[in-house]
Amino acid sequence: MSNSKYILVTGGAGYIGSHTVVELVENGFSPVIVDDFRNSQESSIDGIERITGKSVTLRRIDVCDFASLEGVFSEFNFEGIIHFAAHKAVGESVEKPLAYYRNNLLGLINCLDLAVKYKVENFVFSSSCTIYGEPKNEKVVTEESEIQIANSPYGNTKQIGEEIINDLVASGANIKILNLRYFNPVGAHFSSQIGELPIGKPNNLLPAVAQTAIGKIDKITVHGNDYDTTDGTCVRDYIHVTDVANAHVKGIAWLQSQKNSLVENINIGTGQGTSVLEIIHTFEEVSGRKLNWEFGKRREGDVVEIYADVTKSKAILNWEAKKTVKDAVKDAWNWEKRISD
Ligand code: UD1
């Protein structure tokens, strides 16, 4: 083990990445961000610096550019890698499949290749609950639940990413890899210095709700009200982004404690399901504003109800979500107010 404190964080200026960089600094690591700002903003770097009081180490590089990325590996003696850099919009991935496959798969392959070459043994990959698709006969999914055929190129890049990782570890490579399968990350840092910065009209629920409350969007449409759930709307496992970030720090620490090559898949969720209407009502309560919303038709490709079995994250990583959905909604609202000033 090299015992260096440098952790490479690709996509570290992005939504989950920036929160993870803060958690890493607060836990004594020295993160090195690689980001090309194609889907993130430089203001997140300022936000990280304001929260931590430390200057950020940043290399403005596309992870698909192997030679430039290798330059970063030769510059720092990394103890671990957290690989976030990827495209993440489901709808866009249907329109631009090649861009998604190229960026998400080539970026991952480059990072893995250089990890092996430079003997960086601890690797965390951003996976997603999207790989479970619509779970058969269950709402709570364990890591052993069946993986369904992906319903978008984006989802497929996460599935193929995990397969690439499995094949690499099976080949005897000296590397320990954690696939963290996130459920629905929401909220923002409690300081409102960093948070989600959707480009264009947001597709995800929380940014759409927040933008409706602030008046950037006239009305939010609830996609479907006749599902077989408690109130007819879809149910998800919304998890505070700071909790998600902390899981990466716990993940790196756990990988450091392991001796042999391995690959482990772990759900990162709260274990609780929340419906779309429950989110809207919580938002109204927290913000004190009446939201303009209406029921619309079902959104194609939506899973009805899914949340995480979190037994494994507690047992292996000694990690569990600490914040509630209400905390996340409150932080999302404070963040929206700050960026709309
Ligand atoms: C989506 C992606 C998932 C990705 C995740 C990243 C799909 C099918 N899945 O998850 O692969 O990893 O984002 O964050 O797109 N909703 C409304 N009105 C809105 C927006 C959303 O009713 O304006 C509802 C949706 O129908 C859904 C729930 O809110 O029931 C959550 O939607 P969203 O935030 O987009 O997340 P997912 O679809 O779960």
Side-chain angles (χ1 to χ4, degrees):
M1 206 191 287
S2 69
N3 279 328
S4 111
K5 289 281 185 183
Y6 289 116
I7 305 290
L8 172 62
V9 187
T10 73
Y15 177 43
I16 306 175
S18 58
H19 290 82
T20 300
V21 167
V22 168
E23 287 287 315
L24 285 167
V25 171
E26 288 175 351
N27 284 276
F29 290 101
S30 303
V32 175
I33 296 178
V34 160
D35 205 300
D36 67 357
F37 297 97
R38 74 173 68 184
N39 195 23
S40 55
Q41 292 182 22
E42 313 231 355
S43 58
S44 68
I45 302 293
D46 303 332
I48 294 168
E49 291 184 336
R50 279 196 292 271
I51 295 168
T52 62
K54 298 211 164 106
S55 66
V56 163
T57 308
L58 166 71
R59 296 294 175 266
R60 203 175 294 263
I61 282 166
D62 176 357
V63 284
C64 293
D65 175 353
F66 187 88
S68 299
L69 190 61
E70 178 154 26
V72 183
F73 275 78
S74 49
E75 191 183 349
F76 297 92
N77 175 23
F78 290 120
E79 171 67 13
I81 299 170
I82 304 177
H83 178 52
F84 291 109
H87 290 319
K88 61 172 184 181
V90 175
E92 185 187 55
S93 78
V94 177
E95 286 155 27
K96 301 178 186 167
L98 296 184
Y100 272 68
Y101 287 115
R102 180 181 292 119
N103 187 42
N104 293 10
L105 299 181
L106 188 55
L108 173 64
I109 291 167
N110 285 350
C111 289
L112 290 170
D113 205 348
L114 289 165
V116 172
K117 185 169 175 187
Y118 286 82
K119 299 187 170 47
V120 187
E121 293 174 13
N122 307 305
F123 195 103
V124 181
F125 173 58
S126 282
S127 190
S128 168
C129 73
T130 192
I131 65 165
Y132 298 119
E134 180 76 64
K136 289 191 186 134
N137 315 316
E138 55 188 352
K139 295 163 186 162
V140 189
V141 288
T142 73
E143 291 78 358
E144 273 28 88
S145 295
E146 204 180 313
I147 288 175
Q148 310 283 342
I149 291 173
N151 64 3
S152 72
Y154 159 75
N156 210 16
T157 65
K158 294 298 175 188
Q159 288 191 7
I160 299 171
E162 288 201 5
E163 286 168 10
I164 290 170
I165 284 169
N166 288 335
D167 289 344
L168 176 67
V169 173
S171 75
N174 187 23
I175 191 162
K176 299 169 280 179
I177 305 186
L178 201 48
N179 295 320
L180 296 185
R181 296 173 175 169
Y182 318 137
F183 280 66
N184 289 56
V186 290
H189 193 266
F190 73 91
S191 65
S192 300
Q193 295 296 334
I194 50 173
E196 196 167 5
L197 288 164
I199 293 172
K201 193 169 186 277
N203 293 312
N204 293 121
L205 181 62
L206 252 292
V209 167
Q211 291 196 11
T212 309
I214 208 89
K216 287 181 189 160
I217 297 176
D218 282 349
K219 195 185 270 182
I220 181 161
T221 304
V222 174
H223 302 309
N225 63 348
D226 56 353
Y227 287 106
D228 183 17
T229 58
T230 44
D231 60 20
T233 65
C234 292
V235 171
R236 295 285 182 277
D237 187 335
Y238 296 96
I239 174 162
H240 198 295
V241 65
T242 303
D243 280 329
V244 176
N246 183 257
H248 294 77
V249 178
K250 288 272 171 71
I252 288 284
W254 178 76
L255 288 170
Q256 285 177 306
S257 72
Q258 300 300 301
K259 286 206 174 67
N260 301 319
S261 296
L262 62 88
V263 55
E264 194 70 74
N265 307 314
I266 299 193
N267 287 343
I268 299 299
T270 65
Q272 308 238 307
T274 306
S275 75
V276 177
L277 282 186
E278 283 168 335
I279 290 284
I280 288 182
H281 293 144
T282 306
F283 205 96
E284 289 185 326
E285 185 194 332
V286 161
S287 67
R289 293 195 183 186
K290 196 88 197 78
L291 274 176
N292 192 14
W293 65 268
E294 63 181 359
F295 284 125
K297 56 181 193 318
R298 293 179 173 196
R299 185 171 75 176
E300 209 181 316
D302 260 345
V303 166
V304 180
E305 180 161 14
I306 186 169
Y307 45 97
D309 180 298
V310 293
T311 315
K312 205 169 167 186
S313 62
K314 280 187 207 165
I316 292 191
L317 300 184
N318 187 27
W319 169 92
E320 60 185 319
K322 293 206 171 73
K323 299 198 179 218
T324 62
V325 167
K326 199 169 175 178
D327 294 330
V329 165
K330 202 189 299 170
D331 290 335
W333 176 229
N334 286 335
W335 168 246
E336 184 61 46
K337 283 191 287 187
R338 180 169 175 274
I339 58 174
S340 305
D341 268 353

